[in-house]
Amino acid sequence: MDADPFRVFMEMQLKLPRNAPGSNAMTRSMFESLEGLPQEPEMLFMGCGQGNEVMELLRCSNGRATAVDMLKPFLAKLEAKADVAGISGERLRTICSDFEALDLPEGIFDIIWSEGAIYTLGFEEGLKAWAKYLKPGGLAVVSECTWLTDTPSTEARLFWEKAYPIMGTLAENAERAKRAGFELLETRVLPEEDWWTEYYQPLIPQIAKARETYAGDAGVQAMLDEEETEIRLYERHAADYGYVFYVLRKQA
């Protein structure tokens, strides 16, 4: 019986240091640039995966984190990291849930943080859905794959029209944020090394191993082809698109 391609993909992801482009250095830099947070912020992490950003912000703040992901194995990795670091349950709560089924009190968080996960809802739709959890004037810091040019290459455009057809430009996402009830304070493009060092470079050998393990499994091989296509596309067209951090304030 052929394997489930999604299960194989998740197995590969669990072996990576992080599950989307980014870095601890970038996470810390973005957090340290924020103004107006209390000394002990209530932080909500959406789609946290194995929680690199959760751990980084717990290290560089006195805040408390509520970390949400729909996959228990990722949350288990986060919980194990927190145990090793001596972070108490008073500072970290994990919730296994998808965004639509999330049951949280409204208006209690100072900041929502999400790296590479809002695409599952769409940028504007995600901001609209998450705004209710923020206090008035609360912040949302979200990284989102974004067109960096109005005239991308044909190859990049065709790939992303299929993979993420609603991907926006910086200007389009600024308008989407405004419609969702947020003021855009800052944008910052992730450097190319944040794609390579902790995401694509570790992913490449995992793809090679899976090709051997699941040789002859057409579904898994097709999934692996898609992953390799994405990597090669970024090699050729990194100037066309990238992950962008958006710093947003909820309007009163």
mmCIF file of all heavy atoms in Angstrom, residues 179-199:
data_model
loop_
_atom_site.group_PDB
_atom_site.id
_atom_site.type_symbol
_atom_site.label_atom_id
_atom_site.label_comp_id
_atom_site.label_asym_id
_atom_site.label_seq_id
_atom_site.Cartn_x
_atom_site.Cartn_y
_atom_site.Cartn_z
ATOM 1 N N ARG A 179 -8.016 46.826 5.788
ATOM 2 C CA ARG A 179 -9.397 46.343 5.753
ATOM 3 C C ARG A 179 -9.705 45.423 6.933
ATOM 4 O O ARG A 179 -10.860 45.336 7.377
ATOM 5 C CB ARG A 179 -9.672 45.611 4.433
ATOM 6 C CG ARG A 179 -9.707 46.515 3.216
ATOM 7 C CD ARG A 179 -10.365 45.815 2.037
ATOM 8 N NE ARG A 179 -9.644 44.632 1.609
ATOM 9 C CZ ARG A 179 -8.716 44.611 0.655
ATOM 10 N NH1 ARG A 179 -8.383 45.741 0.021
ATOM 11 N NH2 ARG A 179 -8.124 43.494 0.308
ATOM 12 N N ALA A 180 -8.669 44.738 7.422
ATOM 13 C CA ALA A 180 -8.853 43.828 8.564
ATOM 14 C C ALA A 180 -8.846 44.560 9.895
ATOM 15 O O ALA A 180 -9.037 43.944 10.944
ATOM 16 C CB ALA A 180 -7.765 42.763 8.549
ATOM 17 N N GLY A 181 -8.624 45.880 9.861
ATOM 18 C CA GLY A 181 -8.679 46.662 11.081
ATOM 19 C C GLY A 181 -7.345 46.892 11.755
ATOM 20 O O GLY A 181 -7.290 47.125 12.969
ATOM 21 N N PHE A 182 -6.260 46.876 10.962
ATOM 22 C CA PHE A 182 -4.922 47.059 11.504
ATOM 23 C C PHE A 182 -4.214 48.226 10.845
ATOM 24 O O PHE A 182 -4.397 48.507 9.654
ATOM 25 C CB PHE A 182 -4.082 45.797 11.302
ATOM 26 C CG PHE A 182 -4.452 44.658 12.201
ATOM 27 C CD1 PHE A 182 -5.472 43.778 11.847
ATOM 28 C CD2 PHE A 182 -3.794 44.454 13.409
ATOM 29 C CE1 PHE A 182 -5.817 42.713 12.666
ATOM 30 C CE2 PHE A 182 -4.126 43.396 14.231
ATOM 31 C CZ PHE A 182 -5.146 42.525 13.862
ATOM 32 N N GLU A 183 -3.351 48.867 11.623
ATOM 33 C CA GLU A 183 -2.442 49.891 11.115
ATOM 34 C C GLU A 183 -1.082 49.229 10.875
ATOM 35 O O GLU A 183 -0.546 48.567 11.766
ATOM 36 C CB GLU A 183 -2.292 51.018 12.133
ATOM 37 C CG GLU A 183 -1.263 52.072 11.743
ATOM 38 C CD GLU A 183 -0.968 53.037 12.875
ATOM 39 O OE1 GLU A 183 -1.538 52.861 13.982
ATOM 40 O OE2 GLU A 183 -0.152 53.953 12.668
ATOM 41 N N LEU A 184 -0.534 49.422 9.682
ATOM 42 C CA LEU A 184 0.771 48.858 9.362
ATOM 43 C C LEU A 184 1.867 49.768 9.907
ATOM 44 O O LEU A 184 1.956 50.935 9.538
ATOM 45 C CB LEU A 184 0.921 48.702 7.846
ATOM 46 C CG LEU A 184 2.271 48.171 7.342
ATOM 47 C CD1 LEU A 184 2.548 46.781 7.889
ATOM 48 C CD2 LEU A 184 2.301 48.172 5.817
ATOM 49 N N LEU A 185 2.715 49.211 10.787
ATOM 50 C CA LEU A 185 3.785 49.980 11.411
ATOM 51 C C LEU A 185 5.129 49.774 10.720
ATOM 52 O O LEU A 185 5.936 50.693 10.646
ATOM 53 C CB LEU A 185 3.924 49.605 12.890
ATOM 54 C CG LEU A 185 2.677 49.774 13.756
ATOM 55 C CD1 LEU A 185 2.981 49.348 15.186
ATOM 56 C CD2 LEU A 185 2.169 51.209 13.707
ATOM 57 N N GLU A 186 5.380 48.563 10.245
ATOM 58 C CA GLU A 186 6.691 48.257 9.678
ATOM 59 C C GLU A 186 6.600 46.987 8.839
ATOM 60 O O GLU A 186 5.787 46.107 9.112
ATOM 61 C CB GLU A 186 7.729 48.039 10.793
ATOM 62 C CG GLU A 186 9.144 47.732 10.285
ATOM 63 C CD GLU A 186 10.112 47.346 11.386
ATOM 64 O OE1 GLU A 186 9.713 47.352 12.572
ATOM 65 O OE2 GLU A 186 11.271 47.036 11.065
ATOM 66 N N THR A 187 7.452 46.911 7.816
ATOM 67 C CA THR A 187 7.666 45.660 7.094
ATOM 68 C C THR A 187 9.162 45.403 7.024
ATOM 69 O O THR A 187 9.958 46.342 6.960
ATOM 70 C CB THR A 187 7.089 45.682 5.670
ATOM 71 O OG1 THR A 187 7.717 46.729 4.914
ATOM 72 C CG2 THR A 187 5.585 45.888 5.694
ATOM 73 N N ARG A 188 9.526 44.130 7.057
ATOM 74 C CA ARG A 188 10.935 43.767 6.943
ATOM 75 C C ARG A 188 11.045 42.447 6.189
ATOM 76 O O ARG A 188 10.432 41.452 6.589
ATOM 77 C CB ARG A 188 11.580 43.655 8.315
ATOM 78 C CG ARG A 188 13.109 43.679 8.264
ATOM 79 C CD ARG A 188 13.732 43.551 9.644
ATOM 80 N NE ARG A 188 13.260 44.559 10.601
ATOM 81 C CZ ARG A 188 13.722 44.641 11.851
ATOM 82 N NH1 ARG A 188 14.649 43.767 12.274
ATOM 83 N NH2 ARG A 188 13.255 45.566 12.673
ATOM 84 N N VAL A 189 11.817 42.435 5.106
ATOM 85 C CA VAL A 189 11.979 41.238 4.289
ATOM 86 C C VAL A 189 13.025 40.319 4.920
ATOM 87 O O VAL A 189 14.107 40.767 5.301
ATOM 88 C CB VAL A 189 12.413 41.609 2.855
ATOM 89 C CG1 VAL A 189 12.580 40.354 1.991
ATOM 90 C CG2 VAL A 189 11.396 42.558 2.210
ATOM 91 N N LEU A 190 12.698 39.033 5.034
ATOM 92 C CA LEU A 190 13.678 38.082 5.530
ATOM 93 C C LEU A 190 14.842 37.975 4.554
ATOM 94 O O LEU A 190 14.629 37.917 3.330
ATOM 95 C CB LEU A 190 13.059 36.692 5.697
ATOM 96 C CG LEU A 190 12.490 36.325 7.063
ATOM 97 C CD1 LEU A 190 11.284 37.186 7.391
ATOM 98 C CD2 LEU A 190 12.152 34.849 7.132
ATOM 99 N N PRO A 191 16.077 37.932 5.039
ATOM 100 C CA PRO A 191 17.223 37.743 4.145
ATOM 101 C C PRO A 191 17.195 36.354 3.521
ATOM 102 O O PRO A 191 16.609 35.414 4.077
ATOM 103 C CB PRO A 191 18.431 37.914 5.072
ATOM 104 C CG PRO A 191 17.919 37.598 6.438
ATOM 105 C CD PRO A 191 16.478 38.045 6.455
ATOM 106 N N GLU A 192 17.828 36.218 2.379
ATOM 107 C CA GLU A 192 17.842 34.936 1.678
ATOM 108 C C GLU A 192 18.422 33.828 2.547
ATOM 109 O O GLU A 192 17.994 32.670 2.467
ATOM 110 C CB GLU A 192 18.618 35.053 0.368
ATOM 111 C CG GLU A 192 17.916 35.887 -0.680
ATOM 112 C CD GLU A 192 18.673 35.919 -1.998
ATOM 113 O OE1 GLU A 192 19.400 34.954 -2.295
ATOM 114 O OE2 GLU A 192 18.540 36.918 -2.733
ATOM 115 N N GLU A 193 19.391 34.143 3.390
ATOM 116 C CA GLU A 193 20.002 33.109 4.237
ATOM 117 C C GLU A 193 18.992 32.495 5.196
ATOM 118 O O GLU A 193 19.155 31.342 5.623
ATOM 119 C CB GLU A 193 21.172 33.683 5.025
ATOM 120 C CG GLU A 193 20.786 34.728 6.051
ATOM 121 C CD GLU A 193 21.992 35.385 6.695
ATOM 122 O OE1 GLU A 193 22.872 35.881 5.976
ATOM 123 O OE2 GLU A 193 22.035 35.389 7.933
ATOM 124 N N ASP A 194 17.919 33.223 5.520
ATOM 125 C CA ASP A 194 16.907 32.670 6.404
ATOM 126 C C ASP A 194 16.060 31.614 5.700
ATOM 127 O O ASP A 194 15.364 30.839 6.366
ATOM 128 C CB ASP A 194 16.009 33.787 6.956
ATOM 129 C CG ASP A 194 16.638 34.494 8.136
ATOM 130 O OD1 ASP A 194 17.848 34.292 8.366
ATOM 131 O OD2 ASP A 194 15.935 35.251 8.824
ATOM 132 N N TRP A 195 16.089 31.590 4.382
ATOM 133 C CA TRP A 195 15.470 30.498 3.640
ATOM 134 C C TRP A 195 16.391 29.278 3.605
ATOM 135 O O TRP A 195 15.928 28.148 3.702
ATOM 136 C CB TRP A 195 15.174 30.929 2.201
ATOM 137 C CG TRP A 195 14.049 31.890 2.048
ATOM 138 C CD1 TRP A 195 14.025 33.202 2.415
ATOM 139 C CD2 TRP A 195 12.777 31.628 1.451
ATOM 140 N NE1 TRP A 195 12.822 33.771 2.090
ATOM 141 C CE2 TRP A 195 12.043 32.837 1.489
ATOM 142 C CE3 TRP A 195 12.198 30.502 0.869
ATOM 143 C CZ2 TRP A 195 10.753 32.934 0.986
ATOM 144 C CZ3 TRP A 195 10.917 30.598 0.362
ATOM 145 C CH2 TRP A 195 10.194 31.806 0.426
ATOM 146 N N TRP A 196 17.686 29.533 3.455
ATOM 147 C CA TRP A 196 18.617 28.442 3.182
ATOM 148 C C TRP A 196 19.130 27.752 4.425
ATOM 149 O O TRP A 196 19.092 26.525 4.532
ATOM 150 C CB TRP A 196 19.802 28.958 2.356
ATOM 151 C CG TRP A 196 19.408 29.313 0.967
ATOM 152 C CD1 TRP A 196 19.321 30.561 0.420
ATOM 153 C CD2 TRP A 196 19.002 28.410 -0.066
ATOM 154 N NE1 TRP A 196 18.887 30.486 -0.877
ATOM 155 C CE2 TRP A 196 18.681 29.179 -1.198
ATOM 156 C CE3 TRP A 196 18.870 27.021 -0.130
ATOM 157 C CZ2 TRP A 196 18.253 28.611 -2.393
ATOM 158 C CZ3 TRP A 196 18.437 26.440 -1.323
ATOM 159 C CH2 TRP A 196 18.133 27.236 -2.430
ATOM 160 N N THR A 197 19.631 28.496 5.403
ATOM 161 C CA THR A 197 20.413 27.900 6.477
ATOM 162 C C THR A 197 19.613 26.909 7.310
ATOM 163 O O THR A 197 20.079 25.802 7.596
ATOM 164 C CB THR A 197 20.979 28.998 7.392
ATOM 165 O OG1 THR A 197 21.762 29.897 6.594
ATOM 166 C CG2 THR A 197 21.852 28.406 8.475
ATOM 167 N N GLU A 198 18.397 27.279 7.706
ATOM 168 C CA GLU A 198 17.644 26.429 8.621
ATOM 169 C C GLU A 198 16.420 25.780 7.992
ATOM 170 O O GLU A 198 15.703 25.042 8.679
ATOM 171 C CB GLU A 198 17.224 27.233 9.849
ATOM 172 C CG GLU A 198 18.400 27.637 10.716
ATOM 173 C CD GLU A 198 17.969 28.107 12.082
ATOM 174 O OE1 GLU A 198 17.507 27.269 12.873
ATOM 175 O OE2 GLU A 198 18.086 29.312 12.330
ATOM 176 N N TYR A 199 16.173 26.020 6.692
ATOM 177 C CA TYR A 199 15.018 25.389 6.080
ATOM 178 C C TYR A 199 15.393 24.575 4.845
ATOM 179 O O TYR A 199 15.368 23.337 4.880
ATOM 180 C CB TYR A 199 13.928 26.406 5.770
ATOM 181 C CG TYR A 199 12.637 25.742 5.333
ATOM 182 C CD1 TYR A 199 11.995 24.834 6.179
ATOM 183 C CD2 TYR A 199 12.071 25.991 4.100
ATOM 184 C CE1 TYR A 199 10.835 24.188 5.791
ATOM 185 C CE2 TYR A 199 10.895 25.362 3.706
ATOM 186 C CZ TYR A 199 10.282 24.455 4.550
ATOM 187 O OH TYR A 199 9.135 23.817 4.161
#
